[in-house]
Amino acid sequence: MSCTIIVGGFFGDEGKGKVVAHVAYEDHPTIISRGGVGPNAGHTVTMGDKEYGVRMVPSGFVYPDARLFIGTGVLVDPRVLKHEVELLNVKDRTFVDYRCSVIEQQHIERDRSSEHLAKTIGSTGSGCGPANADRVMRVARQAKDFPELEPFLIDVPAEINAALDMGESVLLEGTQGFGISLYYGTYPFVTSKDTSASQIAADNGVGPTRIDDVIVVFKAYPTRVGEGPFSTEMTREVSDRLGIQEFGTVTHRQRRIGEWDGEMARYSAMINGCTQAAITGIDRVDPHCFGINDYDKLSRKALDFIEKAEEDIEAPVTLISTGPDVSHIIDIRDEQ
Ligand code: IMP
Ligand code: MG
């Protein structure tokens, strides 16, 4: 009955994957489709004793009743896709738009051998920047040019718009985060495309008038991987003392960690057209909140944090993640 976009509000790795998984279990979408750059993204989804790091397949894969799409705007690495659909056993319900541009070995080599990309920008080395450059230069090859991708090919916008016409729910998941948007991020220390909600709609061929909700995911302690400005960054000593080290899903680099950035949250919420927000890692603000599912059980410290965040974002915080598992979440969307 609705089309919801979920995007990251800071520098990526806000826990979008987990929020997508939760919303899917609650809202029963028939399609979960991803936008964003490509396999430079890493989503970690923890379910029970299993932890999955996915780069191509939408992180909503944990919800078994949706078809999983990769939108037209996304770059596809056929090797990563093949590996993931087999590992996750989702081959029969994963589909790729036939116009997606494809990452080839030469793109990865160009990404890794470029002093500028690999060192100065600190790219993930997954070939995305050079592949998007080739796409703009109109020399990239498309998914339909690769026989091994043939079983996956569909017209993603046609399928999504038809589902919406039928009154079904569709989830569009973003990747990366607002701060590394090519347009709005800390250029040149950014990824090779816009990452805002409008881009995610465009990546999937869904017009702006069809979007009902934009959930922006913010992390209580934002993180950044790679180079570039990070105004609220804390020293390694401070983050170690707080016991909140993190490592990247794709590159395994240690993530830089910062304090909540209200100014950035406000600007990001504005450009994303945030209708409601999710805050992840509230158990880091107050460890007593770990695993809680009940809003009324949140501590004063956590509530103060959320109230301040709502002032910054200028939208209600309706999803509060209290731990890594999909079940560790408070959902008050109905109460809005
Ligand atoms: P690229 O997208 O691989 O070219 O990397 C450009 C910058 O974006 C680097 O600082 C990367 O660390 C960062 N980046 C790209 N994708 C992600 C992501 O999914 N999460 C966090 N950072 C990312
Ligand atoms: Mg990630």
Side-chain angles (χ1 to χ4, degrees), residues 11-13 40-42 121-125 176 180 190-191 225-227 253:
F11 294 100
D13 308 305
N40 51 350
I121 307 298
S123 87
T124 59
Q176 283 77 36
I180 57 169
V190 292
T191 189
V225 277
E227 303 306 315
R253 287 180 289 189

Side-chain angles (χ1 to χ4, degrees), residues 8-86:
F10 285 139
F11 294 100
D13 308 305
E14 297 90 354
K16 294 177 290 294
K18 182 255 174 77
V19 173
V20 168
H22 166 79
V23 170
Y25 274 103
E26 290 295 313
D27 297 3
H28 309 291
T30 56
I31 296 170
I32 301 173
S33 191
R34 66 157 281 200
V37 184
N40 51 350
H43 286 299
T44 307
V45 181
T46 309
M47 274 196 101
D49 55 3
K50 286 212 171 91
E51 189 177 281
Y52 304 93
V54 295
R55 297 168 55 196
M56 280 294 4
V57 167
S59 53
F61 76 89
V62 292
Y63 174 70
D65 298 331
R67 287 188 293 160
L68 306 169
F69 291 179
I70 296 174
T72 319
V74 179
L75 299 166
V76 171
D77 184 327
R79 290 153 293 200
V80 177
L81 180 71
K82 180 172 187 287
H83 171 73
E84 289 183 6
V85 294
E86 284 168 7

